[in-house]
Amino acid sequence: MQELVQSQKIVDDERKQVILEILADKYCKQILHNTLEKPKSAMEISNEKNIPISTVYRRLQTLYDAKLLAISGSINQDGKKYFLYKSKVKSISLKCDLEVTVVEFVPNKPNDD
């Protein structure tokens, strides 16, 4: 069965600029790709993608502020809080004819776990 992919267009110019800056950042793209399938902790992302942990935290905040990343939290057996991060976008596409820039994204479906 074929699935209909619904993309969403970004109309706010300021948000478009933020998205363009994120797409130009290799770490942001790695984090979004790494968290597509399942939520991961900052340490998992750092280890799997070989990104310094301080850089991971900065990029996670950037992605969250841009509404491209979902955060869920929990408390482990030791009573410590930990957070998991998951990409809210499956893909981002842009078209630029030097006059108008069109930015669209396909939302990432939440897991059915």
Side-chain angles (χ1 to χ4, degrees), residues 90-105:
K90 188 174 226 167
S91 67
I92 300 172
S93 62
L94 62 102
K95 179 182 175 193
C96 180
D97 65 10
L98 301 180
E99 189 175 328
V100 177
T101 301
V102 178
V103 178
E104 294 181 333
F105 71 92

Side-chain angles (χ1 to χ4, degrees), residues 31 34-35 38-48 53 56-57 60 72 82-86:
I31 290 168
N34 191 254
T35 59
K38 69 174 196 149
K40 296 187 179 178
S41 69
M43 194 58 72
E44 286 177 300
I45 296 166
S46 176
N47 291 338
E48 290 173 11
I53 191 67
V56 168
Y57 278 115
L60 288 171
S72 58
Y82 70 95
F83 297 97
L84 298 176
Y85 305 89
K86 187 165 191 308

Side-chain angles (χ1 to χ4, degrees), residues 25-66:
D25 185 288
K26 72 176 183 175
Y27 295 128
C28 284
K29 288 193 303 188
Q30 286 178 343
I31 290 168
L32 287 173
H33 182 263
N34 191 254
T35 59
L36 256 177
E37 298 299 320
K38 69 174 196 149
K40 296 187 179 178
S41 69
M43 194 58 72
E44 286 177 300
I45 296 166
S46 176
N47 291 338
E48 290 173 11
K49 290 305 198 179
N50 203 21
I51 304 171
I53 191 67
S54 58
T55 301
V56 168
Y57 278 115
R58 280 195 304 276
R59 296 317 193 278
L60 288 171
Q61 188 62 53
T62 298
L63 292 167
Y64 179 75
D65 291 346

